[in-house]
Amino acid sequence: MKPRELIEKWVETFNEGNAEKISEFYQDDAINHQVTHEPVVGKTAIREMFENEFSQAEMTCIVENIFEDNDWGILEWKDPLGLRGCGFFQIENGKIKFQRGYWDKLSFLRQHKLPIPTE
């Protein structure tokens, strides 16, 4: 599966809010680094990360653009509340090996009325 196709399916699954199903997109030793957090290493830890995130807020990813270059895919996205971000996905053997996401955590917390850390 090419990066564009994988990202399209990943977004569809993300919008279902199913942590188990979305974790199947990742290799066993994958790294998911949302720059507002420390990197999450391994498929099991990534599933747990999504379980936690999906339980905290209802999130919807709206695709603005998907770009593809060899084994890399780039997703530009927004959500219904106006938050915008982008994700970089390195794909190997049809699964995500590395993912990095950029988005504004403070805006996300405010929009979802979640506690804002003081440190």
Side-chain angles (χ1 to χ4, degrees), residues 3-117:
R4 172 182 286 280
E5 297 168 304
L6 187 138
I7 291 170
E8 288 169 347
K9 292 185 183 304
W10 182 93
V11 168
E12 182 180 311
T13 303
F14 178 90
N15 288 339
E16 293 173 7
N18 184 327
E20 185 67 37
K21 192 173 173 184
I22 204 164
S23 70
E24 292 303 314
F25 285 86
Y26 294 85
Q27 294 185 3
D28 289 339
D29 62 346
I31 298 170
N32 185 315
H33 184 199
Q34 302 302 302
V35 298
T36 60
H37 303 286
E38 293 297 315
V40 177
V41 180
K43 183 177 179 175
T44 300
I46 291 169
R47 179 185 44 76
E48 291 168 357
M49 175 195 74
F50 280 114
E51 284 174 351
N52 183 48
E53 289 177 355
F54 291 152
S55 72
Q56 289 183 12
E58 187 175 323
M59 297 180 286
T60 301
C61 179
I62 301 167
V63 173
E64 291 199 299
N65 288 297
I66 299 175
F67 303 97
E68 181 178 274
D69 184 30
N70 295 316
D71 62 341
W72 283 89
I74 302 168
L75 168 66
E76 281 188 304
W77 57 266
K78 64 181 178 180
D79 75 3
L81 301 175
L83 186 66
R84 285 179 146 40
C86 63
F88 295 81
F89 298 77
Q90 183 181 26
I91 313 302
E92 287 184 3
N93 301 318
K95 297 227 178 195
I96 300 166
K97 175 73 173 174
F98 178 79
Q99 178 183 355
R100 179 169 288 135
Y102 295 89
W103 48 278
D104 180 1
K105 184 176 182 177
L106 182 58
S107 293
F108 176 85
L109 294 172
R110 286 180 175 154
Q111 290 171 340
H112 291 279
K113 297 178 177 42
L114 295 170
I116 297 172

